[in-house]
Amino acid sequence: MALVKEFSTINEAVQAANSLHGRGVAENEVFVLAHDDSITDTVADHSEAKKIGVDETGMGTAFKNMFQSQGDELRTKMEEIGLSQDEAETYEKTLDEGKILLICKDDNQSSFLGY
């Protein structure tokens, strides 16, 4: 299971990711995802959050994602790091609205819930 928080701006997402890291959440447990790859890149570059990449999805999924629509790719990435299919569909709609997601793979991180 993974925990998800939504943010409206790059600055909010960066601050939240860095705050989580400062409270002991491991860097390899927090991921950023946005509909716009440049937003995902910016948050990842300026925070302790990671992009969901080959290490998390595996080569087969990464290759398959090259031929999927962006929505399908985003849902697949979310499912690969622990969200259910229903959750991934719901959050993909959130991404369509321009939100930025921080996803924590370790659901025992109480500091993530408190942010």
Side-chain angles (χ1 to χ4, degrees):
M1 181 176 186
L3 300 172
V4 181
K5 291 283 188 176
E6 302 172 17
F7 298 91
S8 298
T9 67
I10 291 171
N11 192 43
E12 290 173 341
V14 167
Q15 287 179 356
N18 289 337
S19 176
L20 290 168
H21 181 70
R23 287 189 263 160
V25 178
E27 181 178 340
N28 64 347
E29 295 291 327
V30 178
F31 296 88
V32 59
L33 192 61
H35 217 290
D36 183 333
D37 290 338
S38 68
I39 292 173
T40 301
D41 291 343
T42 300
V43 173
D45 289 346
H46 292 93
S47 75
E48 299 297 331
K50 292 177 53 178
K51 297 187 295 184
I52 301 169
V54 175
D55 289 343
E56 292 74 38
T57 64
M59 285 297 287
T61 299
F63 183 73
K64 183 174 77 171
N65 282 343
M66 291 173 31
F67 301 100
Q68 295 189 75
S69 71
Q70 186 172 20
D72 289 341
E73 177 184 349
L74 293 169
R75 286 188 296 278
T76 299
K77 285 181 175 184
M78 287 185 272
E79 289 175 31
E80 289 288 332
I81 62 168
L83 273 67
S84 70
Q85 183 177 8
D86 289 340
E87 289 172 319
E89 288 176 13
T90 298
Y91 284 118
E92 199 273 323
K93 291 175 186 168
T94 302
L95 292 172
D96 286 342
E97 296 169 0
K99 299 291 185 183
I100 303 165
L101 301 179
L102 287 184
I103 304 168
C104 185
K105 285 179 26 176
D106 184 351
D107 63 351
N108 293 319
Q109 296 293 344
S110 61
S111 33
F112 190 75
L113 289 171
Y115 188 85

